[in-house]
Amino acid sequence: MTRVTGGMALRLLVSKYTAPDMYPTFTCYLKTSLESRGMPPKILQCNISRRTGVIVVMASAMFAREAIFGEHIANAFDFGLVAPDQTVEQAESGIRDHAQSLLQVKAMLESESWDEAQRALRARSASLKHDIYTLIQVKPASERPQLRKLYSDLFNSVTKLDYAARDEDASRVWQYYDNIVLALDAILSRLY
């Protein structure tokens, strides 16, 4: 008795249709509730050639790859919390520069270049977020809840500023920018 595996069955099916038929016809059966009552199944004829099938699959794969790995789509906040290879020393040395970089978004907000300000805000807040989170993790357990609250306030204000810039609401933009300045001062004074 010969056992047919899935790969063999597929090869047999493919070889069966390649030689005599260049464009095989696939038959699709729909199993309905009527079939359980003794009614004959409905048959749909699908005339799909292998070439068309391969083209459709390859095009789908290409579009899916672009949607998943495209850089233009990944222009939102980076929600990863800790850079895997970041040390405490690296976080301490970069935190002041990243904080200053975040505050330099003010010039773009003053000129009301909202899209540019949003992109800069997202890019600059990601590295600051990594630095602060890394430093919070090495603090004593008793200090962490207060630091996490300040961390949350800071980056919630960053997110709200991003939304206000998207809506081009200047009054809310400046309100959230002021909140960011206050939260940065508070968290940096507690970290050092």
Side-chain angles (χ1 to χ4, degrees), residues 36-56:
S36 62
R37 297 181 186 154
M39 305 284 285
K42 295 181 180 179
I43 299 176
L44 294 177
Q45 289 290 328
C46 302
N47 292 324
I48 301 174
S49 68
R50 265 186 299 162
R51 180 178 296 166
T52 305
V54 168
I55 290 171
V56 168

Side-chain angles (χ1 to χ4, degrees), residues 51-127:
R51 180 178 296 166
T52 305
V54 168
I55 290 171
V56 168
V57 168
M58 295 302 290
S60 299
M62 284 182 6
F63 290 131
R65 192 181 119 251
E66 281 297 317
I68 293 170
F69 299 114
E71 289 182 22
H72 63 283
I73 292 175
N75 194 17
F77 287 104
D78 182 11
F79 290 109
L81 294 180
V82 177
D85 55 351
Q86 185 180 34
T87 64
V88 175
E89 293 79 25
Q90 290 171 332
E92 286 175 343
S93 68
I95 194 168
R96 296 256 181 222
D97 293 335
H98 294 142
Q100 286 291 23
S101 175
L102 180 65
L103 294 177
Q104 289 173 354
V105 172
K106 182 178 183 178
M108 290 172 238
L109 296 174
E110 287 172 341
S111 67
E112 295 187 358
S113 42
W114 305 117
D115 290 336
E116 186 180 334
Q118 282 182 283
R119 281 191 295 275
L121 183 70
R122 293 172 186 166
R124 295 172 184 182
S125 67
S127 51

Side-chain angles (χ1 to χ4, degrees), residues 4 8 17 80 82 102 110 121 142 155 159 168 172 175 179:
V4 177
M8 288 176 59
Y17 286 111
V82 177
L102 180 65
E110 287 172 341
L121 183 70
S142 61
F155 290 104
T159 302
E168 299 179 5
R172 284 186 21 224
Q175 174 190 353
N179 290 350

Side-chain angles (χ1 to χ4, degrees), residues 15-40:
S15 66
K16 178 180 175 184
Y17 286 111
T18 39
D21 274 340
M22 286 303 285
Y23 302 105
T25 301
F26 297 101
T27 305
C28 304
Y29 292 96
L30 290 178
K31 185 173 183 177
T32 63
S33 62
L34 297 176
E35 190 174 3
S36 62
R37 297 181 186 154
M39 305 284 285

